[in-house]
């Protein structure tokens, strides 16, 4: 089984929206809680959002009420709908388990212009 593959990033204006996708075939997707992380140069990896195996979601404080995490177990795919984006959301986004058990995927980069 290979690493997850993230996609959907790009350049967007302040206040815009994007939806990120993480495809995780062969990683026992439905059995795991899964996290979206954000990486920017310097600070440590940041928790963005999590969805449990049962479908419950929780969010980092900076994205609460703006982002929505969801998944489709039949497609082994995780989503992150990002609304009202700000320059502070700029970074590379990755999916992994809370204990970072999966190999790391390539990530997908989001740039929010001011």
């Amino acid at each position: 089984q290979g690493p997850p593959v993230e996609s959907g990033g790009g350049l967007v204006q302040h206040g815009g929206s994007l939806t990120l996708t993480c495809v995780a075939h062969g990683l026992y997707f439905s059995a795991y809680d899964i996290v979206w992380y954000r990486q920017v140069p310097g600070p440590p990896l940041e928790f963005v959002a999590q969805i449990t195996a049962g479908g419950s979601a929780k969010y980092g404080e900076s994205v609460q009420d703006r982002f929505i995490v969801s998944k489709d177990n039949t497609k082994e795919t995780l989503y992150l709908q990002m609304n009202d984006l700000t320059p502070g959301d700029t970074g590379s986004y990755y999916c992994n388990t809370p204990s970072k058990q999966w190999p790391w995927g390539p990530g997908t980069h989001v740039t929010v212009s001011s």
Side-chain angles (χ1 to χ4, degrees):
Q1 49 277 55
V5 179
E6 301 91 351
S7 63
L11 174 63
V12 64
Q13 290 188 334
H14 188 164
S17 298
L18 281 175
T19 298
L20 306 184
T21 298
C22 162
V23 178
H25 294 315
L27 293 170
Y28 304 100
F29 180 90
S30 63
Y32 284 105
D33 299 349
I34 309 172
V35 177
W36 278 106
Y37 296 96
R38 178 165 63 209
Q39 179 74 70
V40 297
L45 205 61
E46 179 186 0
F47 170 93
V48 175
Q50 175 177 303
I51 189 163
T52 67
S56 298
K58 67 177 182 180
Y59 300 91
E61 186 175 341
S62 68
V63 308
Q64 185 76 45
D65 298 327
R66 298 188 298 121
F67 289 12
I68 299 172
V69 61
S70 62
K71 64 174 180 170
D72 185 335
N73 286 337
T74 65
K75 297 180 180 179
E76 297 182 306
T77 301
L78 178 75
Y79 304 97
L80 185 68
Q81 180 182 335
M82 306 189 297
N83 302 310
D84 193 20
L85 285 159
T86 74
D89 297 317
T90 293
S92 293
Y93 286 73
Y94 301 85
C95 61
N96 212 312
T97 68
S99 59
K100 305 177 182 70
Q101 291 177 263
W102 292 347
W104 289 100
T108 187
H109 192 78
V110 174
T111 301
V112 184
S113 63
S114 57

